[in-house]
Amino acid sequence: MSEHTSTGPAVPVAAPASTPETQKIPTAPSGPVATPDGPLAVHPADAAYLPSTAATPQSAHDADKPYVTIVLPCFNEGEHVLQEIDRITAAMNSSEFTYELLCIDDASTDDTLEVLRDAATRYANIRVMPFRRNGGSGTARRIGTQQAHGEIVVWTDADMTYENERIPELVRILRDDESYDQVVGARTTEEGTHKWARVPAKWLIRKIAEKLSNQTIPDLNSGLRAFRREVSLPYLRLLPPGFSCVTTITLAFLSNQHDIKYVPTSYAKRAGVSKFHFVRDAYRYILQVLRMVMYFDPLKVLMPPALWLVVIGVLKAVVDMVRHPFYFPASTVLLIVSGIMIGSLALLSDLVVRSRTGV
């Protein structure tokens, strides 16, 4: 394997000028606040994952800030992570972008951390962040995004499945078009484990997400994406620790009118052993879709069943009135009362969402 280092006078690409159209977040969230000169301070809950040496963010004056940060979560990827690093660095070194490759070892039980540390001595743009305990891919991506030095953050996987050589292409779209805040590599094939069950399950979950978000979503949970770090910061605290973090960041952007561009990409069979558990993770995907839509627009989740219960109850009451005048069974009353209660909860939830000062 050839060794790659940065070549040429790489100059950071100028950040797009901020305009009213691109500033779509009305208020800042609670918690740590980013500064123009560096990454976020580590939240106390996240500090438990990091060594003490990583708890303090690096100042922008200590090193030139790259334009792109590629967050690469690694858990037991020692056999092939070096091939992925070589592929990513080759693509980025041949591009016009300055970058850092932030490799996060999620408390691997194999030699992944040793491989990453050895690679850091031979590749000029690698930064290794080891976790003291396993936090899941969502935790790794959240902390990696918070600690990123780049203006553009790229998420991808280290299992050889995604076309990581196309990362510069995704970044160029964000650089050249200010109207997009995220670019997603939409997979055109499914090569994961349990393919017979994953394809219909993911299709169903994606259709539910499209219905609830009123958006067309070619790929709801692709792990290859690039987005503007500043736009993503308010939503990082919403990310769950597992695989559904990519679903969350997609729905968070769509629910707040941040435009997403989908670029068709191929998807290869993964290297190593999959960490995806079909039943458990599919259940979490569904819950996360409902949770995110409830968080941003609860009326879409609660009001339809409320109205249906009331309508069915009223129709049943009419039938009951014809068959037995002025006699309404308990089931009829229960339908109407349940609909009214759920509708009241929907209106109350919507009031809470609209009165919220943060994201």
Side-chain angles (χ1 to χ4, degrees):
M1 180 182 301
S2 61
E3 177 179 332
H4 293 280
T5 57
S6 295
T7 59
V11 178
V13 177
S18 189
T19 65
E21 290 76 17
T22 60
Q23 292 181 337
K24 301 171 185 175
I25 302 175
T27 55
S30 58
V33 178
T35 65
D37 296 328
L40 291 173
V42 177
H43 191 278
D46 293 336
Y49 294 98
L50 301 174
S52 58
T53 55
T56 303
Q58 177 182 351
S59 171
H61 300 293
D62 296 337
D64 292 334
K65 290 177 61 176
Y67 182 64
V68 180
T69 294
I70 302 166
V71 178
L72 187 69
C74 304
F75 179 65
N76 292 345
E77 313 282 3
E79 294 183 358
H80 49 266
V81 68
L82 200 58
Q83 301 176 48
E84 198 69 270
I85 289 173
D86 185 73
R87 183 162 63 139
I88 294 173
T89 54
M92 295 304 298
N93 287 338
S94 61
S95 73
E96 67 272 29
F97 302 113
T98 57
Y99 74 98
E100 64 172 345
L101 177 57
L102 180 55
C103 300
I104 300 177
D105 176 65
D106 196 12
S108 297
T109 57
D110 64 357
D111 63 342
T112 297
L113 182 57
E114 288 75 16
V115 172
L116 293 177
R117 283 174 170 166
D118 179 69
T121 64
R122 298 184 288 112
Y123 292 79
N125 300 85
I126 289 184
R127 182 157 61 107
V128 178
M129 181 180 291
F131 279 6
R132 291 185 292 181
R133 55 177 173 149
N134 183 267
S137 61
T139 301
R141 289 185 170 104
R142 183 183 72 249
I143 296 177
T145 304
Q146 290 172 342
Q147 297 302 301
H149 295 102
E151 178 182 337
I152 302 297
V153 173
V154 176
W155 285 359
T156 189
D157 290 336
D159 55 12
M160 307 297 294
T161 54
Y162 291 102
E163 293 183 289
N164 287 333
E165 63 273 10
R166 296 182 63 183
I167 289 177
E169 176 186 343
L170 305 185
V171 176
R172 287 188 191 99
I173 294 174
L174 292 177
R175 179 197 64 185
D176 297 337
D177 193 338
E178 296 180 5
S179 66
Y180 291 112
D181 291 318
Q182 185 171 177
V183 181
V184 176
R187 296 164 295 181
T188 55
T189 59
E190 174 60 66
E191 299 296 338
T193 56
H194 309 290
K195 183 177 180 179
W196 61 272
R198 287 172 67 125
V199 171
K202 290 172 69 173
W203 178 87
L204 177 61
I205 296 172
R206 180 167 57 85
K207 289 303 179 182
I208 294 174
E210 288 181 341
K211 182 68 174 179
L212 294 176
S213 63
N214 291 329
Q215 299 279 348
T216 299
I217 308 174
D219 193 342
L220 180 62
N221 58 339
S222 171
L224 176 60
R225 59 190 60 225
F227 52 86
R228 304 187 194 279
R229 176 178 177 271
E230 183 180 1
V231 175
S232 73
L233 292 179
Y235 310 120
L236 296 182
R237 62 187 179 87
L238 304 177
L239 298 184
F243 291 103
S244 51
C245 63
V246 292
T247 301
T248 302
I249 201 72
T250 300
L251 291 175
F253 272 52
L254 291 176
S255 298
N256 279 275
Q257 292 77 50
H258 298 291
D259 289 337
I260 298 179
K261 182 178 180 62
Y262 296 91
V263 178
T265 61
S266 62
Y267 188 62
K269 186 176 181 179
R270 71 154 289 137
V273 180
S274 175
K275 289 86 176 178
F276 183 86
H277 300 276
F278 174 73
V279 175
R280 183 184 67 192
D281 289 317
Y283 176 69
R284 289 178 177 175
Y285 275 131
I286 296 175
L287 285 185
Q288 192 62 20
V289 169
L290 295 176
R291 180 184 294 122
M292 291 304 297
V293 178
M294 276 289 294
Y295 186 86
F296 291 108
D297 195 351
L299 289 180
K300 286 186 177 180
V301 177
L302 296 177
M303 193 54 74
L307 294 177
W308 274 110
L309 287 174
V310 171
V311 169
I312 294 173
V314 170
L315 292 177
K316 190 173 185 301
V318 172
V319 174
D320 293 335
M321 185 69 178
V322 172
R323 297 177 59 186
H324 308 284
F326 300 103
Y327 172 74
F328 300 103
S331 59
T332 302
V333 177
L334 182 62
L335 284 170
I336 296 176
V337 171
S338 297
I340 294 174
M341 291 179 63
I342 296 176
S344 300
L345 179 61
L347 294 173
L348 180 62
S349 301
D350 185 67
L351 179 63
V352 172
V353 168
R354 294 181 182 277
S355 63
R356 192 168 55 208
T357 56
V359 172

